[in-house]
Amino acid sequence: MFANYLIGLREGLEASLVVCILIAYLVKTGRKDRLGPVWIGVGSAVALAMAFGAVLQFGSDQLSFEAQEALGGTLSIIAVGLVTWMVFWMRRTARHLKSELQGKLDAALAMGTVALIVTSFLAVGREGLETALFIWTAVQSTGDGWSPLAGATLGLLTSVVLGWLFYRGAVKINLAKFFTWTGGMLVVVAAGVLAYGVHDLQEAGWIPGLGTLAFDISSTIPADSWYGTLLKGVFNFQPNPTVVQVVVWLLYLVPTLYFFFRKPASGGVQGKPVQAPAEPKAA
């Protein structure tokens, strides 16, 4: 539940900031009449993400066991790739997100209503699809459909509240630090999802070594114990992983964390607390 709360909070906050910046910019420039197309684009992106999650869930139920394992493993690896790219991208661009979005919005305003809808749809849709895919893989890996969904829903609701507070100018947060530390935690979560995806592909017969275990501490940390469940839910921990799983987990986690937290030569993304533009009266 915590891992998926983190996913919902981070992805939702990205989307909320995007919507907040778009709406605040239109309000401040006296173009409230163009808010309708923006909301249409946002609503369409949310609907697409929900439909994508439903297709993943109900479509996979019709497949054979081997096909389900192959699909789950492949999508898990794709989800890890998307999340890894996302955390690096946001860490690098959080400082310039506002000016980048305003530039795209100006171009869309000049092109017309359809361009406005497409701009807001694309800005929010990416986070929505990533969230749906990552949460689906979490549900498959834990075997519990309710806790991951509840955690993700709470995270999304929290992000919506924070986005509204940003818009009203009621709260400030250092976005660079927030996205850096939550990104680091997501990398750890993604490493577990990657190991789970590799295990799925081993069960599907795509990767060898299913019977070669790195270790087996099931007697020390039973999978059905409360602490075993907690470790599995947060980190996708498995008490009896294969050698291939452990190798892949290490090869992903160690270098990814190193490059993520390494300070760039230019000084990295340092930022003062960032606040989304408020309405004219609040300013």
Side-chain angles (χ1 to χ4, degrees), residues 73-158:
T74 302
L75 291 180
S76 295
I77 294 173
I78 293 174
V80 169
L82 289 173
V83 168
T84 304
W85 171 81
M86 178 266 294
V87 296
F88 276 94
W89 177 82
M90 180 52 74
R91 183 175 183 271
R92 185 178 66 253
T93 60
R95 188 179 181 183
H96 310 290
L97 182 63
K98 174 183 170 184
S99 58
E100 181 180 333
L101 283 173
Q102 289 179 350
K104 292 180 179 179
L105 188 58
D106 281 333
L109 285 167
M111 295 175 65
T113 300
V114 175
L116 268 179
I117 295 175
V118 172
T119 299
S120 57
F121 174 82
L122 293 177
V124 177
R126 178 177 61 84
E127 281 82 6
L129 293 176
E130 288 175 357
T131 304
L133 179 56
F134 208 70
I135 291 173
W136 182 81
T137 58
V139 171
Q140 300 305 306
S141 65
T142 59
D144 181 358
W146 292 109
S147 295
L149 290 177
T153 301
L154 290 174
L156 290 171
L157 291 175
T158 303

Side-chain angles (χ1 to χ4, degrees), residues 56 58-72 136:
L56 288 176
F58 296 112
S60 63
D61 289 342
Q62 310 303 317
L63 302 175
S64 65
F65 173 78
E66 290 77 12
Q68 285 185 14
E69 297 302 297
L71 177 64
W136 182 81

Side-chain angles (χ1 to χ4, degrees), residues 16-282:
S16 294
L17 286 174
V18 167
V19 175
C20 173
I21 291 170
L22 294 177
I23 292 176
Y25 186 62
L26 289 175
V27 171
K28 288 183 67 176
T29 54
R31 287 175 279 195
K32 288 184 178 182
D33 57 312
R34 311 310 298 274
L35 289 176
V38 171
W39 283 118
I40 292 175
V42 171
S44 301
V46 173
L48 175 64
M50 295 177 67
F52 179 57
V55 169
L56 288 176
Q57 180 60 38
F58 296 112
S60 63
D61 289 342
Q62 310 303 317
L63 302 175
S64 65
F65 173 78
E66 290 77 12
Q68 285 185 14
E69 297 302 297
L71 177 64
T74 302
L75 291 180
S76 295
I77 294 173
I78 293 174
V80 169
L82 289 173
V83 168
T84 304
W85 171 81
M86 178 266 294
V87 296
F88 276 94
W89 177 82
M90 180 52 74
R91 183 175 183 271
R92 185 178 66 253
T93 60
R95 188 179 181 183
H96 310 290
L97 182 63
K98 174 183 170 184
S99 58
E100 181 180 333
L101 283 173
Q102 289 179 350
K104 292 180 179 179
L105 188 58
D106 281 333
L109 285 167
M111 295 175 65
T113 300
V114 175
L116 268 179
I117 295 175
V118 172
T119 299
S120 57
F121 174 82
L122 293 177
V124 177
R126 178 177 61 84
E127 281 82 6
L129 293 176
E130 288 175 357
T131 304
L133 179 56
F134 208 70
I135 291 173
W136 182 81
T137 58
V139 171
Q140 300 305 306
S141 65
T142 59
D144 181 358
W146 292 109
S147 295
L149 290 177
T153 301
L154 290 174
L156 290 171
L157 291 175
T158 303
S159 69
V160 170
V161 172
L162 286 174
W164 181 78
L165 292 174
F166 278 134
Y167 179 78
R168 302 300 301 178
V171 66
K172 295 181 180 180
I173 187 173
N174 190 313
L175 293 181
K177 289 184 177 180
F178 174 83
F179 285 121
T180 295
W181 288 107
T182 57
M185 288 187 284
L186 270 185
V187 167
V188 176
V189 173
V193 172
L194 179 61
Y196 161 77
V198 168
H199 187 267
D200 269 2
L201 293 180
Q202 287 182 302
E203 290 189 326
W206 288 21
I207 298 177
L210 180 60
T212 307
L213 301 182
F215 53 83
D216 188 349
I217 54 175
S218 301
S219 58
T220 305
I221 307 179
D224 57 354
S225 63
W226 69 266
Y227 45 91
T229 303
L230 180 64
L231 289 172
K232 182 174 180 61
V234 178
F235 303 110
N236 268 282
F237 172 79
Q238 186 177 339
N240 55 346
T242 65
V243 172
V244 176
Q245 281 183 277
V246 173
V247 170
V248 169
W249 185 82
L250 289 172
L251 288 177
Y252 169 81
L253 183 66
V254 176
T256 304
L257 284 179
Y258 170 75
F259 286 110
F260 184 74
F261 284 111
R262 186 183 64 169
K263 188 175 182 181
S266 60
V269 180
Q270 303 294 331
K272 297 179 180 180
V274 179
Q275 182 180 3
E279 293 177 291
K281 62 178 183 179

